[in-house]
Amino acid sequence: GDLSDDVRENVARNAVRRAFKTWAKAGVGLSFSRVAENENPDIFVEWRQAADPDHSMVGGILAHADFPPGCSVIVSGLPLPCHFDDEEHTWVDGASGGFDIETVALHEIGHLLGMLHTDVSGSVMFPTVSANSTSRRLQSDDLAGIRDLYPPFPG
């Protein structure tokens, strides 16, 4: 999909890729691979206008994603959206000049995997994030949540 106007395409893509890798390393057997649009992706990552037709981001909302099929609230099938507001916010790779793509992607991918918000401050799934900061590591609350959702396969 369309990537951010604020950073080079490869910078945005690599930041999102790192966020997927972080969830893949959570120890619950998840893996992700990039496919072409015509290969029926499960998730579609894109930067869009604030007044996104599928779910408005106007105001303080940085991005949105949907929950897995069966729990979805935005779309009724695949691919699930992971949309960033490219109109009202400045996107950066790092902790200065705007919102860190990898930080926000990590949170939104959590929703795509079925995670809800937490009230544990400092966790990736905490509902708010500050500009000019990064949160690129899953915290104990995040890991406990994903392990509850994806229990180990029987040996």
Side-chain angles (χ1 to χ4, degrees):
D2 289 333
L3 299 177
S4 176
D5 292 334
D6 298 331
V7 295
R8 292 191 314 279
E9 195 170 296
N10 64 315
V11 171
R13 186 174 289 122
N14 287 336
V16 171
R17 185 179 291 134
R18 288 192 306 268
F20 275 109
K21 272 191 182 148
T22 297
W23 282 111
K25 288 191 235 164
V28 295
L30 296 166
S31 63
F32 306 95
S33 56
R34 185 171 167 223
V35 300
E37 280 182 54
N38 63 0
E39 294 181 85
N40 299 320
D42 293 330
I43 296 166
F44 197 73
V45 178
E46 196 169 26
W47 272 258
R48 299 176 72 150
Q49 74 272 25
D52 191 348
D54 72 8
H55 192 74
S56 176
M57 296 180 281
V58 172
I61 300 171
L62 296 169
H64 64 243
D66 210 347
F67 296 105
C71 304
S72 300
V73 293
I74 298 175
V75 295
S76 56
L78 297 173
L80 298 176
C82 181
H83 296 157
F84 295 77
D85 179 347
D86 208 26
E87 197 176 327
E88 300 174 309
H89 308 287
T90 301
W91 296 98
V92 294
D93 182 15
S96 68
F99 288 94
D100 179 49
I101 295 168
E102 185 177 347
T103 295
V104 176
L106 193 61
H107 176 95
E108 296 305 331
I109 293 164
H111 289 315
L112 293 164
L113 297 175
M115 299 278 287
L116 297 171
H117 286 150
T118 182
D119 56 7
V120 179
S121 184
S123 297
V124 164
M125 295 313 297
F126 194 70
T128 59
V129 66
S130 303
N132 306 314
S133 68
T134 60
S135 174
R136 295 176 169 188
R137 287 200 177 92
L138 298 176
Q139 303 301 310
S140 55
D141 185 69
D142 303 309
L143 290 167
I146 199 70
R147 286 168 185 163
D148 280 348
L149 282 176
Y150 297 85
F153 298 103

